[in-house]
Each structure stands twice: as structure tokens, then as C-alpha cells.
Amino acid sequence: MLFCSYWISMIKKCGMPPDTLKSEPLKNRCGSARGKFIFVPKLSILQHKQSTIYLHETAMSTAQDPKIKVSQIQTTLRDNNVDGWLLYNFRQSNVFASKVLDLPSHLTQMRRYFYYIPAQGVPQKIVHGIEAHNLDHLPGEKTVYVSWQSLHAALRGALRGAKCVAMEYSPDNSIPYVSKVDAGTVELIRSFGVDVVSSGDIVQYFEARWSDEQRMDQFETCDILRKTVDVAFGFIGDRLRAGTRVTEYDVQQRMARYFVENGLAYGDAPNCSVNSNGANPHYEPTEDIYSEVHKGDYVLIDLWAKKDKPGSVYGDITWVAYAGDVIPAKYQQVFEIVKGARDAAVDYVRTEFASGRKVRGCDVDDVTRTFIADSGFGEYFIHRTGHNIGEEVHGNGAHIDNLETNDRREIIPETCFSIEPGIYLPGEFGVRLEIDVYIDADRRIHIPGQPIQQEIVRIQC
């Protein structure tokens, strides 16, 4: 992008790099249709007092006016004494920046951009000259840079007066799902004398909460998933009673067809695992790789899908069954332990939310893990208790995890997560019982897809 010689000469007189340009989009204060150029931004910044960011209780939707969204973000920052939120992206490396800023999907994004939202004052857009218009839909003043020196100068100016800003960064990489900003960029911001804290809770507030439509759609989806469970186990029983060969892949495809017949969409196909395959939590049958289902087999199905429409969110449940009438004692024992862990987590979440206390993902994970460990099977519970659920089956809010990661993010109202403890005995079988838990705006919990599993399904064969 080229600039006229007049403005270059004016910039040089101000002692700034010639490729640093700030402009106010649309009309200037005199009402002119042409933008005016501003060289020194004035920001009003609050003192940072704590690194944990709690949430301002203002509902918002994903299709929100950018000015309203920015205003709500600023209220959250002020409430928590954080000076600003610096959103950074390079070649779409930061999915949170793309989503929070509602960037049009058709844009070419090959250069770095920053969008700084101060707790008070005017947001600052920093974009490269060849992509100078990518953030034009957002409020604020725009700086166009070309060289790295002018980028640094623009950042230094935008952050002037700030002592602490939030970015998509996680100390010690404790929550890798949040770590979208590289260490070098964090070092750069800190070189300006500005501390960087994690934006984890801010991100989930503006990315992971559901609208009313999403909530209703997901509850309906879980009802369909629950019916799919009966369809799948009924399908196995019909085949076995008829003496017809049936495989894990056959069951998977039957579930997938039922999804489509009922208006659901999915990325990866649902899962059916038999016997020792169920001891592999991420086993997935294919057309070429599968096991047959026989009488006396242990069966685990894991199914996830969402409405076939834009903005829909996933349902995700797991059930287990036994192909026969007399359930083996060890299978029954493991099932009861997993069910007890699941129910203990639900009771904990319900009690803590009703009391008004803060609930973190890691705390819920500790409940299920302690229950299973105390029952003598701790070493066989090899994954986190659950995950946030959103437009992707593994969403961007707090995960129920203190094993794989130390997810200290708060579980917030209007979000959904799975509770899915499991015990996996190599060479034998696995038992996982997965439900979805939604926290409404009044802190009440809902478990869609009723009834949830209370006993092992006996497949009549």
C-alpha cells in the first residue's frame, strides 16, 4: 500500500517511522466524509490488581454489533482491574481472535494484526499495509504498518500507560487450548514494560456461552442422540437374533444414517467399540478395520452430532451394553464405579453452583478421579473427566481436567460440558459413561438426553 508524499512528509516532521499511520474510519469530528490522521492515541488505563479474571454478567449473542461487544469487553476489564485485552493473530493462528472479532471468512490473512481493547478509551487497530482494511468493521483508530520497526512503534504507542494486558497465553502452558500467542510475541509486549496475563476466562465468556437458540437446539439434539442409542443396540440385537453378521462398522453406519434422517450433522462418524477395543478410548472402526459383534460381547458406543444449521452446537454421549442376559461380575463392578464417579461429579457441580461458589474445571475432575482411585481403579482412568462443548464437539470453554492439563478456568453460566469418567482394562473392555451438563443463567444445571444410563443395557440376542 502506498501513501501520498504529503502525509509521509508530515509523519517525518513528527519524528515517527514513515510507514506508521493512524486514522479514524468514516467521519471525522467535523463531519467530513474523509478520515483524519491522528498520531498519538490517548488511553485511560486502570491499575491491574489481580491476574484471575472474573466475568461481567451481561448476556450477549454471537451476531452482535461490534461496538456493543467492545463495550461489554471493556466493562469486564474494568470490573477486574485489567488494563486491556490485546488480540493478536498471524495467518489465523489464533482462532479466538478470529471468532471474537467476527472476521469475515473471505479475507486474506497473511500478515500480523493486533486489536487492542483498553478498559477505557478508544480501541486500537494495527494492520499491515497490504491488508489495511481487514479490521475496518471494528470500532477504533487504525495504524497501518509496513516494517517491523513501525509495528513495534505502533504497539508501543497503543499500549502506552498500560501495566497489564490479557492475551491468549497460559502460564507454563497449563491450558494449551488457550495458548495461541507465541512466546516471542509475549516477550515483545513485555519488553514495553507491560505484563501479560491469560485471557482464558475472558475468551470463554465471549466465545463459549450459548444463545437461547443454541441451548434449545442442543437439548433437542441430545434427545435424538438418546434415541440413537436405542436404535443402535436394537440393531445389534436384531442382527444377532437373526443370525446375521454384524460389525462395529455396521453399527457406526446405522447410527450415522439415523443422524441424517433426523436432521443432524457431524464431523467424524460415531463410534462403536467391542470388547478390548473399548479399552482404547479413541478407537474408531472403519470400513476395513473393525471387529464383529457376537453374543457375550461388551459394547461401547460414543455418539456426537449437532443440528444441520449454522451456529449449532454439539451433543455428546456415551453408553455401554452387554450382548446377553447374564452380565459378568467384573463388568458390572466397573460399571458401578464409573456411574458412581459420574454421579458424584454431578452432585458436586449442583451443590457448588447452588451455593454460589466458584467451580473450576480442575475441581470437578478431582471429584471423579478421587472416586475411581478410592475404588482401586485409579491407574485405569487415563483421560480428563470432560470437555467444554460448543460449535466444535471439544469447545473453547473450561474443560473438566486436572490430569492432562491443570484447567483452573471457572465454569461459567450459559456453557455446557461433558462429564465422562471411564475405566479401561487393556485386553478386556472399557466402560465410559458420558453425559452433557448445561449451566443456565440462574446457575441451575440441566442434563439433556434423558434418561441417562443407570444400568448396563442387556442386548437380547
Side-chain angles (χ1 to χ4, degrees), residues 27 71 95 99 104 118 145 169 179 196 203 255 287 294 299-300 338 358-359 380 406 415 420 441:
K27 296 182 179 180
S71 176
V95 63
K99 289 188 173 183
Y145 76 92
Y169 146 83
S179 292
V196 176
V203 162
M255 291 190 287
E287 188 173 5
H294 300 103
V299 183
L300 180 151
V338 173
K358 175 181 176 180
V359 182
Y380 302 106
N406 178 220
T415 64
E420 49 181 303

Side-chain angles (χ1 to χ4, degrees), residues 6 28 48 72 82 105 134 144 204 220 234 243 247 251 267 281 316 357 364 396 401 418 438 443 454 461:
Y6 170 78
N28 62 26
H48 170 73
Q72 292 182 349
V82 178
S105 59
N134 278 11
V144 178
Q204 69 165 347
E220 292 175 5
T247 71
V251 180
D316 188 9
R357 289 188 287 268
V364 184
N396 294 320
D401 190 5
S418 69
Y438 176 78
R443 300 176 65 87
Q454 302 294 350
C461 54

Side-chain angles (χ1 to χ4, degrees), residues 163-224:
K163 292 182 172 61
C164 178
V165 298
M167 298 186 76
E168 286 64 70
Y169 146 83
S170 177
D172 301 324
N173 198 29
S174 293
I175 310 174
Y177 311 97
V178 173
S179 292
K180 301 300 182 182
V181 178
D182 62 277
T185 299
V186 172
E187 291 171 354
L188 173 64
I189 301 307
R190 286 176 171 165
S191 75
F192 303 141
V194 180
D195 190 20
V196 176
V197 297
S198 177
S199 66
D201 279 324
I202 294 180
V203 162
Q204 69 165 347
Y205 178 67
F206 291 98
E207 154 64 15
R209 293 195 307 158
W210 289 359
S211 67
D212 287 340
E213 181 180 359
Q214 288 175 317
R215 172 183 53 81
M216 291 186 291
D217 281 349
Q218 201 266 358
F219 285 15
E220 292 175 5
T221 294
C222 283
D223 287 340
I224 297 170

Side-chain angles (χ1 to χ4, degrees), residues 122-134:
V122 180
Q124 303 296 314
K125 299 178 281 190
I126 301 173
V127 292
H128 192 275
I130 66 172
E131 296 172 357
H133 301 289
N134 278 11

Side-chain angles (χ1 to χ4, degrees), residues 250-373:
D250 295 331
V251 180
Q252 177 198 70
Q253 295 304 300
R254 180 67 188 95
M255 291 190 287
R257 287 196 303 273
Y258 192 78
F259 288 172
V260 174
E261 291 165 2
N262 286 274
L264 299 186
Y266 56 90
D268 296 319
N271 173 50
C272 175
S273 302
V274 172
N275 299 331
S276 61
N277 290 338
N280 176 359
H282 278 181
Y283 171 80
E284 197 75 22
T286 70
E287 188 173 5
D288 301 315
I289 302 173
Y290 56 80
S291 293
E292 291 188 21
V293 186
H294 300 103
K295 183 176 181 179
D297 283 350
Y298 310 106
V299 183
L300 180 151
I301 59 172
D302 188 352
L303 46 163
W304 54 91
K306 62 181 181 178
K307 289 289 187 71
D308 190 6
K309 57 185 283 191
S312 61
V313 292
Y314 272 88
D316 188 9
I317 63 175
T318 302
W319 278 60
V320 295
Y322 178 73
D325 293 326
V326 182
I327 297 172
K330 189 174 185 179
Y331 193 47
Q332 185 68 51
Q333 176 194 18
V334 170
F335 174 86
E336 295 297 337
I337 294 169
V338 173
K339 184 179 76 167
R342 178 199 68 189
D343 294 346
V346 172
D347 290 343
Y348 174 80
V349 171
R350 179 180 286 113
T351 299
E352 295 301 295
F353 269 96
S355 71
R357 289 188 287 268
K358 175 181 176 180
V359 182
R360 303 176 302 176
C362 58
D363 300 326
V364 184
D365 184 77
D366 287 344
V367 172
T368 60
R369 203 159 302 284
T370 298
F371 189 99
I372 291 176

Side-chain angles (χ1 to χ4, degrees), residues 381-392:
F381 183 14
I382 58 176
H383 58 68
R384 63 191 178 191
T385 294
H387 55 84
N388 177 258
I389 298 173
E391 293 184 36
E392 301 297 330

